[in-house]
Amino acid sequence: HILGLLDRPSSGDYFFRGQNVGHMPDDDLSSLRNLAMGFVFQSFYLIPYATALDNVLLYASATRGFKSGGYNDYQPTNPVFNPEFIWSYEAGVKSDLVDGKLRLNASAFYYDYSDLQVTTFFNSLTLVANAAQATVKGVDFEMVAQPKKAVTLGTSVSLLDAEYDTFAAPYGVCSPLVLADATCAGRTAGQVRLINAAGNRLNNAPKIKGNAFIENRHDMGNYGTLTMFGQVSYTDKIFFNAANDPNASQKSYTLVDA
C-alpha cells in the first residue's frame, strides 16, 4: 500500500509531500493502478485529500489480487485446485505525535475471497481444495511511546472476524463408523467425507491477538549499553481445519518473555 499523503489540487495531479506522483482525471481512477510493486495485485488508491498535520497520514486502498491454481501431486489422480481471488479494502491512519515520542497507528480492513485455497488432509496426505467464498474483516491498533530517552514501551491489538461463507470441505473418508452421518449422504465407504463449513472460522485465524512490551536502555559508558526488555503476548484460540474440530485446535495462550 501507498502509505503517504496524497494532496490533489484542481489540476488532477497528485502530490506526495510536494512530489508529483501522477495524474488522475476526475472520471478515471485506473491511472493510480500499479503504484505499488507486485505481479499479482492491481490496486486503486483512493486518497483525495491530505491532513492539516504533517505527521498524520490518512490512506485508503482497494486491491484486487490472485494466487495461481495447481495440482495435488501426491494424489493418484492429481486433482486440480483453482486460482484464488481476493478483493482487499483497507483504510487507516498513521501518526507520529509529540515530537516523535508517540506513534499511533490504526486500520480497518475487509477481505472478500473467491475460491480461497485451503489445505486439508485426506488419507494421511495433504490436499489443497477451494472454498467457494470467505470473508475476513478486522481492525488493527498499534501504539509506541518513548516517555524518556532510555525508555520505549508499546502495545498492539488485532481483532479478526474470519469465516467461510460457503465451503463443502473435504474431511476424511466415509468409513463404516460414519457412513450413516449426513456428511456421507449419497456416498459409499471409502469416498471423501464432506462437511458444510459455512460460518466456521478460517484456519489459523485467532479472533484476538495482542502484545505489550517495555524496553529500558542504560548507558554503561565505555562498556556499551545495557538493554532490558520485557514482553507479554496473547493469542486467542485457533482451529487447524475448516471443520473447526476441537481435537484439531490450539487453545488461547499467553507468552511472557524477557
Side-chain angles (χ1 to χ4, degrees):
H1 301 292
I2 297 175
L3 302 181
L5 293 174
L6 291 181
D7 187 17
R8 182 177 187 271
S10 59
S11 65
D13 289 325
Y14 274 78
F15 293 84
F16 170 56
R17 297 196 182 282
Q19 301 287 328
N20 190 314
V21 296
H23 177 85
M24 186 182 74
D26 289 341
D27 58 350
D28 183 14
L29 294 177
S30 63
S31 62
L32 283 184
R33 295 178 184 176
N34 301 325
L35 290 179
M37 297 179 64
F39 295 99
V40 296
F41 290 99
Q42 191 173 49
S43 304
F44 306 81
Y45 293 90
L46 311 177
I47 316 178
Y49 59 92
T51 67
L53 301 175
D54 289 339
N55 296 322
V56 177
L57 174 157
L58 299 178
Y59 68 94
S61 69
T63 304
R64 173 69 167 173
F66 78 94
K67 184 192 296 184
S68 62
Y71 299 88
N72 286 284
D73 294 337
Y74 296 106
Q75 296 292 314
T77 58
N78 288 345
V80 175
F81 55 91
N82 296 324
E84 171 188 306
F85 295 90
I86 181 177
W87 269 108
S88 169
Y89 307 93
E90 183 174 347
V93 57
K94 294 179 179 288
S95 62
D96 282 335
L97 308 172
V98 197
D99 296 326
K101 296 179 180 179
L102 176 64
R103 173 171 294 173
L104 295 176
N105 299 331
S107 65
F109 55 89
Y110 182 93
Y111 302 154
D112 185 7
Y113 286 97
S114 298
D115 285 328
L116 175 69
Q117 294 172 7
V118 182
T119 300
T120 59
F121 298 93
F122 176 69
N123 284 345
S124 300
L125 299 174
T126 57
L127 173 71
V128 179
N130 291 103
Q133 301 284 340
T135 301
V136 178
K137 51 184 178 290
V139 294
D140 291 325
F141 172 79
E142 177 188 19
M143 183 276 291
V144 179
Q146 192 174 25
K148 296 182 179 181
K149 184 177 180 180
V151 178
T152 302
L153 52 88
T155 185
S156 64
V157 177
S158 296
L159 305 179
L160 188 66
D161 181 8
E163 293 185 350
Y164 297 104
D165 297 329
T166 55
F167 185 21
Y171 188 56
V173 297
C174 292
S175 68
L177 294 176
V178 296
L179 199 57
D181 192 88
T183 58
C184 291
R187 297 178 175 271
T188 59
Q191 288 188 312
V192 178
R193 182 185 181 191
L194 296 176
I195 60 117
N196 180 12
N200 287 359
R201 284 160 56 185
L202 266 61
N203 302 10
N204 302 304
K207 288 185 176 181
I208 304 173
K209 189 172 184 178
N211 82 309
F213 73 89
I214 183 169
E215 180 181 273
N216 192 348
R217 298 170 298 279
H218 182 67
D219 186 3
M220 303 290 290
N222 294 334
Y223 296 99
T225 301
L226 175 64
T227 300
M228 293 175 286
F229 179 85
Q231 176 176 260
V232 58
S233 60
Y234 172 82
T235 301
D236 207 0
K237 182 178 181 178
I238 60 174
F239 293 98
F240 298 118
N241 58 34
N244 285 185
D245 186 344
N247 295 317
S249 65
Q250 169 68 60
K251 294 182 179 180
S252 60
Y253 60 91
T254 301
L255 296 176
V256 179
D257 60 272

